[in-house]
Amino acid sequence: VSGLGDPFLSAGVAGAQPGDLLPGAVVLSTAAIRLDGGAQMRAGLDSQTIRAYADRYLDGDRFPALSVVYDGVSYWLADGFHRLAALGLLANETGDPRWLSVSCEVTAGDRRAAELLAAGANGRHGLPRKVEDKRRAALALLGDPEWALWSDSEIARVCVVSQPFVSKLRREMAEAAGAPALTVRRGADGRSIHVGAIGSGPAAGKPAAAVVWAPGSADEHAPALGAPAQPVKPVATAAA
């Protein structure tokens, strides 16, 4: 998967390659974790969830390790923005240094690898994503010169959304830009797909195959570009 960067070079983890999950969780200073890599894919962090997580930390709850990507120099946060914000809140409120470090699961890669991991990080766990959160993740890939060449199905897989959801966003982006949509895209296997010819062959008259939607998905109700997302009541029962 493009975005995992150059071969991973670090004397501390000899032999690791981009995409490798490094053995065992490590404890990092919260100050060492970079948040400026563009991997925060939500429309915004939820203050109620941050408060709830902070209270759970105080109660002794154990949260999953954060997910970070290490390029040999920097640790880029990919998953755990609400948890890290909760620790920061506790550090500011209590002055207790124990909230200045956190357990992390480290993957070898670069900043773009963190973006790819973040695009679908909360698709199956954590605070349920709003439609606008899903849109933000899909648009991050569709707006990237390299990732925009991927097929709608591949982008949907990475972002944990439906393929029709991605296709709709791509059409809206092309219409807004006054440009034709790309007709050649790359599939998950790396092969080029000529999507412009889809539906124009002898089988064009056959019924379309059934679409399988992701469990609990609200993608088919996504608003048009620029429309406000419908509010979703925060759920603070799982880590995000």
Side-chain angles (χ1 to χ4, degrees):
V1 176
S2 180
L4 293 177
D6 296 326
F8 183 69
L9 302 176
S10 173
V13 281
Q17 295 297 313
D20 286 352
L21 181 63
L22 305 183
V26 299
V27 175
L28 297 176
S29 164
T30 55
I33 301 172
R34 296 191 60 169
L35 309 178
D36 58 338
Q40 206 302 87
M41 292 292 175
R42 293 186 185 272
L45 296 185
D46 184 84
S47 59
Q48 295 182 43
T49 299
I50 294 170
R51 179 74 266 171
Y53 285 6
D55 292 342
R56 287 175 57 189
Y57 272 120
L58 285 173
D59 289 340
D61 283 7
R62 294 178 63 86
F63 284 80
L66 306 188
S67 176
V68 300
V69 177
Y70 182 53
D71 60 9
V73 177
S74 298
Y75 292 94
W76 303 96
L77 184 61
D79 184 22
F81 285 87
H82 281 99
R83 281 166 278 166
L84 190 61
L87 291 172
L89 179 63
L90 288 174
N92 289 332
E93 289 180 346
T94 68
D96 191 331
R98 64 177 167 148
W99 307 120
L100 296 177
S101 60
V102 63
S103 179
C104 297
E105 187 177 69
V106 183
T107 301
D110 61 8
R111 177 187 59 80
R112 286 173 64 76
E115 289 185 70
L116 289 179
L117 289 175
N122 291 119
R124 299 184 180 91
H125 71 267
L127 179 68
R129 295 181 298 176
K130 301 177 183 179
V131 171
E132 190 58 32
D133 297 331
K134 299 177 183 180
R135 289 166 53 81
R136 180 179 168 91
L139 288 172
L141 271 66
L142 287 169
D144 182 88
E146 178 188 355
W147 297 332
L149 300 177
W150 292 3
S151 68
D152 293 349
S153 295
E154 179 64 3
I155 291 176
R157 183 191 65 79
V158 171
C159 297
V160 193
V161 297
S162 67
Q163 173 268 312
F165 180 64
V166 175
S167 297
K168 179 175 182 287
L169 289 178
R170 192 190 290 272
R171 287 194 301 271
E172 291 175 354
M173 290 180 67
E175 291 169 2
L182 294 171
T183 58
V184 179
R185 300 174 198 155
R186 198 192 76 188
D189 58 3
R191 293 186 299 176
S192 295
I193 302 171
H194 295 267
V195 296
I198 294 177
S200 61
K206 294 183 179 180
V211 174
V212 179
W213 298 96
S217 171
D219 296 347
E220 60 268 44
H221 304 301
L225 281 171
Q230 296 300 311
V232 177
K233 185 177 179 181
V235 178
T237 57

Coordinates of all heavy atoms in Angstrom, one line a residue, residues 143-191:
G143 N -8.8 13.6 -2.6 CA -8.2 14.8 -2.9 C -6.7 14.7 -3.0 O -6.0 15.7 -3.3
D144 N -6.1 13.5 -2.8 CA -4.7 13.3 -2.9 C -4.3 12.9 -4.3 O -4.9 12.0 -4.9 CB -4.3 12.2 -1.9 CG -2.8 12.0 -1.9 OD1 -2.1 12.7 -1.1 OD2 -2.3 11.1 -2.6
P145 N -3.3 13.5 -4.9 CA -2.9 13.2 -6.3 C -2.6 11.7 -6.5 O -2.9 11.2 -7.6 CB -1.6 14.0 -6.5 CG -1.7 15.1 -5.5 CD -2.4 14.6 -4.3
E146 N -2.0 11.0 -5.6 CA -1.7 9.6 -5.7 C -2.9 8.7 -5.4 O -3.3 7.8 -6.2 CB -0.6 9.2 -4.8 CG -0.2 7.7 -4.9 CD 0.8 7.3 -3.9 OE1 1.3 8.1 -3.1 OE2 1.1 6.0 -3.8
W147 N -3.5 8.9 -4.2 CA -4.6 8.1 -3.8 C -5.9 8.2 -4.6 O -6.7 7.3 -4.7 CB -4.9 8.3 -2.3 CG -3.7 8.0 -1.4 CD1 -2.8 7.0 -1.7 CD2 -3.4 8.5 -0.2 NE1 -1.9 7.0 -0.7 CE2 -2.2 7.9 0.3 CE3 -4.0 9.5 0.6 CZ2 -1.6 8.2 1.5 CZ3 -3.4 9.8 1.8 CH2 -2.2 9.2 2.3
A148 N -6.1 9.4 -5.3 CA -7.2 9.6 -6.1 C -7.2 8.6 -7.3 O -8.3 8.4 -7.9 CB -7.3 11.0 -6.6
L149 N -6.1 8.1 -7.7 CA -6.0 7.1 -8.8 C -6.5 5.8 -8.4 O -6.6 4.9 -9.2 CB -4.5 7.1 -9.3 CG -3.9 8.3 -9.8 CD1 -2.5 8.1 -10.2 CD2 -4.7 8.9 -11.0
W150 N -6.7 5.5 -7.1 CA -7.2 4.2 -6.6 C -8.7 4.1 -7.1 O -9.4 5.1 -7.2 CB -7.1 4.1 -5.1 CG -5.7 4.0 -4.6 CD1 -4.5 4.1 -5.3 CD2 -5.3 3.9 -3.3 NE1 -3.4 4.0 -4.5 CE2 -3.9 3.9 -3.2 CE3 -6.0 3.8 -2.1 CZ2 -3.2 3.7 -2.1 CZ3 -5.3 3.6 -0.9 CH2 -3.9 3.6 -0.9
S151 N -9.1 2.9 -7.2 CA -10.5 2.6 -7.5 C -11.4 3.0 -6.3 O -10.9 3.1 -5.2 CB -10.7 1.1 -7.8 OG -10.5 0.3 -6.6
D152 N -12.7 3.2 -6.6 CA -13.6 3.6 -5.6 C -13.7 2.5 -4.5 O -13.9 2.7 -3.3 CB -15.0 3.9 -6.2 CG -15.0 5.2 -7.0 OD1 -14.0 5.9 -7.0 OD2 -16.0 5.4 -7.7
S153 N -13.6 1.2 -5.0 CA -13.7 0.1 -4.1 C -12.6 0.1 -3.1 O -12.7 -0.2 -1.9 CB -13.8 -1.2 -4.9 OG -15.0 -1.3 -5.6
E154 N -11.4 0.4 -3.6 CA -10.2 0.4 -2.8 C -10.2 1.5 -1.8 O -9.9 1.3 -0.6 CB -8.9 0.5 -3.6 CG -7.6 0.5 -2.8 CD -7.3 -0.8 -2.1 OE1 -8.1 -1.8 -2.2 OE2 -6.3 -0.9 -1.4
I155 N -10.6 2.7 -2.2 CA -10.7 3.8 -1.2 C -11.8 3.5 -0.2 O -11.6 3.7 1.0 CB -11.1 5.1 -2.0 CG1 -9.9 5.5 -2.8 CG2 -11.5 6.2 -1.0 CD1 -10.2 6.7 -3.7
A156 N -12.9 2.9 -0.6 CA -14.0 2.5 0.3 C -13.4 1.5 1.3 O -13.8 1.5 2.5 CB -15.2 1.9 -0.4
R157 N -12.6 0.5 0.9 CA -12.1 -0.5 1.8 C -11.2 0.2 2.8 O -11.3 -0.2 4.0 CB -11.3 -1.5 1.0 CG -10.7 -2.7 1.8 CD -9.7 -3.5 1.1 NE -8.5 -2.8 0.7 CZ -7.5 -2.5 1.6 NH1 -7.6 -3.0 2.8 NH2 -6.4 -1.8 1.2
V158 N -10.3 1.1 2.4 CA -9.4 1.7 3.3 C -10.2 2.6 4.4 O -9.8 2.6 5.5 CB -8.4 2.6 2.6 CG1 -7.6 3.5 3.5 CG2 -7.5 1.7 1.7
C159 N -11.2 3.3 3.9 CA -12.0 4.2 4.7 C -13.1 3.5 5.5 O -13.7 4.2 6.3 CB -12.5 5.3 3.9 SG -11.3 6.4 3.1
V160 N -13.3 2.2 5.2 CA -14.4 1.5 5.8 C -15.8 2.2 5.6 O -16.5 2.5 6.5 CB -14.2 1.2 7.4 CG1 -15.1 0.2 7.9 CG2 -12.7 0.8 7.6
V161 N -16.0 2.5 4.4 CA -17.3 3.0 3.9 C -17.8 2.2 2.7 O -17.1 1.2 2.3 CB -17.2 4.5 3.6 CG1 -16.8 5.3 4.8 CG2 -16.2 4.7 2.4
S162 N -18.9 2.5 2.1 CA -19.4 1.8 1.0 C -18.8 2.4 -0.3 O -18.5 3.6 -0.4 CB -20.9 1.8 0.9 OG -21.4 3.1 0.7
Q163 N -18.7 1.5 -1.3 CA -18.2 2.0 -2.6 C -19.1 3.0 -3.3 O -18.6 4.0 -3.8 CB -18.0 0.8 -3.6 CG -17.7 1.1 -5.0 CD -18.9 1.2 -5.9 OE1 -19.8 0.3 -5.8 NE2 -19.0 2.3 -6.7
P164 N -20.5 2.9 -3.2 CA -21.3 3.9 -3.8 C -21.1 5.3 -3.1 O -21.3 6.3 -3.7 CB -22.8 3.4 -3.5 CG -22.6 1.9 -3.5 CD -21.3 1.7 -2.8
F165 N -20.8 5.3 -1.8 CA -20.5 6.5 -1.1 C -19.3 7.2 -1.7 O -19.4 8.4 -1.9 CB -20.3 6.1 0.4 CG -20.0 7.3 1.3 CD1 -20.9 8.3 1.5 CD2 -18.8 7.4 2.0 CE1 -20.7 9.4 2.4 CE2 -18.5 8.5 2.8 CZ -19.5 9.5 3.0
V166 N -18.3 6.5 -1.9 CA -17.1 7.1 -2.5 C -17.3 7.5 -3.9 O -16.9 8.6 -4.3 CB -15.9 6.0 -2.5 CG1 -14.7 6.6 -3.2 CG2 -15.5 5.7 -1.1
S167 N -18.1 6.7 -4.7 CA -18.4 7.1 -6.1 C -19.2 8.4 -6.2 O -18.9 9.2 -7.0 CB -19.1 6.0 -6.8 OG -18.4 4.8 -6.8
K168 N -20.1 8.6 -5.2 CA -20.9 9.8 -5.2 C -20.0 11.0 -4.9 O -20.1 12.0 -5.5 CB -22.0 9.6 -4.1 CG -22.9 10.8 -3.9 CD -24.0 10.5 -2.9 CE -25.0 11.7 -2.8 NZ -24.4 12.8 -2.0
L169 N -19.1 10.9 -3.9 CA -18.2 12.0 -3.6 C -17.3 12.3 -4.8 O -17.1 13.5 -5.1 CB -17.4 11.6 -2.4 CG -18.1 11.6 -1.0 CD1 -17.1 11.2 0.1 CD2 -18.7 12.9 -0.7
R170 N -16.8 11.3 -5.5 CA -15.9 11.5 -6.6 C -16.7 12.3 -7.7 O -16.1 13.2 -8.3 CB -15.4 10.2 -7.2 CG -14.2 10.4 -8.2 CD -13.9 9.1 -8.9 NE -13.2 8.1 -8.1 CZ -11.9 8.1 -7.9 NH1 -11.1 9.0 -8.4 NH2 -11.4 7.1 -7.1
R171 N -17.9 11.9 -8.0 CA -18.7 12.6 -9.0 C -18.9 14.1 -8.6 O -18.8 15.0 -9.4 CB -20.1 11.9 -9.2 CG -20.0 10.6 -10.0 CD -21.3 10.2 -10.4 NE -22.3 10.0 -9.3 CZ -22.4 8.9 -8.6 NH1 -21.7 7.8 -9.0 NH2 -23.3 8.8 -7.6
E172 N -19.3 14.3 -7.3 CA -19.5 15.7 -6.8 C -18.2 16.5 -6.9 O -18.3 17.7 -7.3 CB -20.0 15.6 -5.4 CG -21.4 15.0 -5.2 CD -21.8 14.9 -3.8 OE1 -21.0 15.2 -2.9 OE2 -23.0 14.6 -3.6
M173 N -17.1 15.9 -6.6 CA -15.8 16.6 -6.7 C -15.5 17.0 -8.2 O -15.1 18.1 -8.5 CB -14.7 15.8 -6.2 CG -14.7 15.6 -4.7 SD -13.3 14.6 -4.1 CE -11.9 15.7 -4.4
A174 N -15.8 16.1 -9.1 CA -15.5 16.3 -10.5 C -16.5 17.4 -11.0 O -16.1 18.3 -11.8 CB -15.7 15.1 -11.3
E175 N -17.7 17.4 -10.6 CA -18.7 18.4 -11.1 C -18.4 19.8 -10.5 O -18.5 20.8 -11.2 CB -20.1 18.0 -10.6 CG -20.6 16.7 -11.4 CD -21.9 16.2 -10.7 OE1 -22.4 16.8 -9.7 OE2 -22.4 15.2 -11.2
A176 N -17.9 19.8 -9.2 CA -17.6 21.1 -8.6 C -16.4 21.7 -9.3 O -16.2 22.9 -9.4 CB -17.3 20.9 -7.1
A177 N -15.5 20.8 -9.8 CA -14.2 21.3 -10.4 C -14.4 21.6 -11.9 O -13.5 22.1 -12.6 CB -13.1 20.3 -10.2
G178 N -15.6 21.1 -12.4 CA -15.8 21.3 -13.9 C -14.9 20.4 -14.7 O -14.6 20.8 -15.9
A179 N -14.5 19.3 -14.2 CA -13.6 18.4 -14.9 C -14.2 17.0 -14.9 O -14.9 16.6 -14.0 CB -12.2 18.4 -14.1
P180 N -13.9 16.3 -16.0 CA -14.4 14.9 -16.1 C -13.7 14.0 -15.0 O -12.6 14.2 -14.6 CB -14.0 14.5 -17.5 CG -12.8 15.3 -17.8 CD -13.0 16.6 -17.1
A181 N -14.4 13.0 -14.5 CA -13.9 12.1 -13.6 C -12.9 11.2 -14.2 O -12.9 11.0 -15.4 CB -15.0 11.2 -13.0
L182 N -11.9 10.8 -13.5 CA -10.9 9.9 -14.0 C -11.5 8.6 -14.5 O -12.4 8.0 -13.9 CB -9.9 9.5 -12.9 CG -9.0 10.7 -12.4 CD1 -8.2 10.2 -11.1 CD2 -8.0 11.2 -13.4
T183 N -11.0 8.1 -15.6 CA -11.6 6.9 -16.2 C -10.7 5.7 -16.0 O -11.1 4.6 -16.3 CB -11.9 7.1 -17.7 OG1 -10.7 7.4 -18.4 CG2 -13.0 8.1 -17.9
V184 N -9.5 5.9 -15.6 CA -8.5 4.8 -15.3 C -8.1 4.9 -13.9 O -7.6 5.9 -13.4 CB -7.3 4.8 -16.2 CG1 -6.3 3.7 -15.9 CG2 -7.7 4.8 -17.7
R185 N -8.4 3.8 -13.1 CA -8.0 3.8 -11.7 C -7.3 2.5 -11.4 O -7.4 1.6 -12.1 CB -9.3 4.0 -10.8 CG -10.0 5.3 -11.1 CD -11.4 5.4 -10.4 NE -12.2 6.4 -11.0 CZ -13.5 6.4 -11.0 NH1 -14.1 5.5 -10.3 NH2 -14.2 7.4 -11.5
R186 N -6.7 2.5 -10.2 CA -5.9 1.4 -9.7 C -6.7 0.5 -8.7 O -7.2 1.1 -7.7 CB -4.6 1.8 -9.1 CG -3.5 0.7 -9.1 CD -2.4 1.1 -8.2 NE -2.7 1.1 -6.8 CZ -1.9 1.5 -5.8 NH1 -0.8 2.1 -6.1 NH2 -2.3 1.4 -4.6
G187 N -6.7 -0.7 -8.9 CA -7.4 -1.6 -8.0 C -6.5 -2.0 -6.9 O -5.3 -1.7 -6.8
A188 N -7.0 -2.9 -5.9 CA -6.3 -3.3 -4.8 C -5.1 -4.2 -5.2 O -4.1 -4.2 -4.5 CB -7.2 -4.1 -3.8
D189 N -5.2 -4.8 -6.4 CA -4.1 -5.7 -6.9 C -3.1 -4.9 -7.7 O -2.1 -5.5 -8.2 CB -4.6 -6.8 -7.7 CG -5.4 -6.4 -8.9 OD1 -5.5 -5.1 -9.1 OD2 -6.0 -7.2 -9.6
G190 N -3.2 -3.6 -7.8 CA -2.3 -2.7 -8.5 C -2.6 -2.6 -10.0 O -1.9 -1.8 -10.7
R191 N -3.5 -3.4 -10.5 CA -3.8 -3.3 -11.9 C -4.7 -2.1 -12.2 O -5.5 -1.7 -11.4 CB -4.5 -4.6 -12.4 CG -3.6 -5.8 -12.3 CD -4.3 -7.0 -12.9 NE -5.5 -7.4 -12.2 CZ -6.4 -8.4 -12.5 NH1 -6.1 -9.1 -13.6 NH2 -7.4 -8.6 -11.8

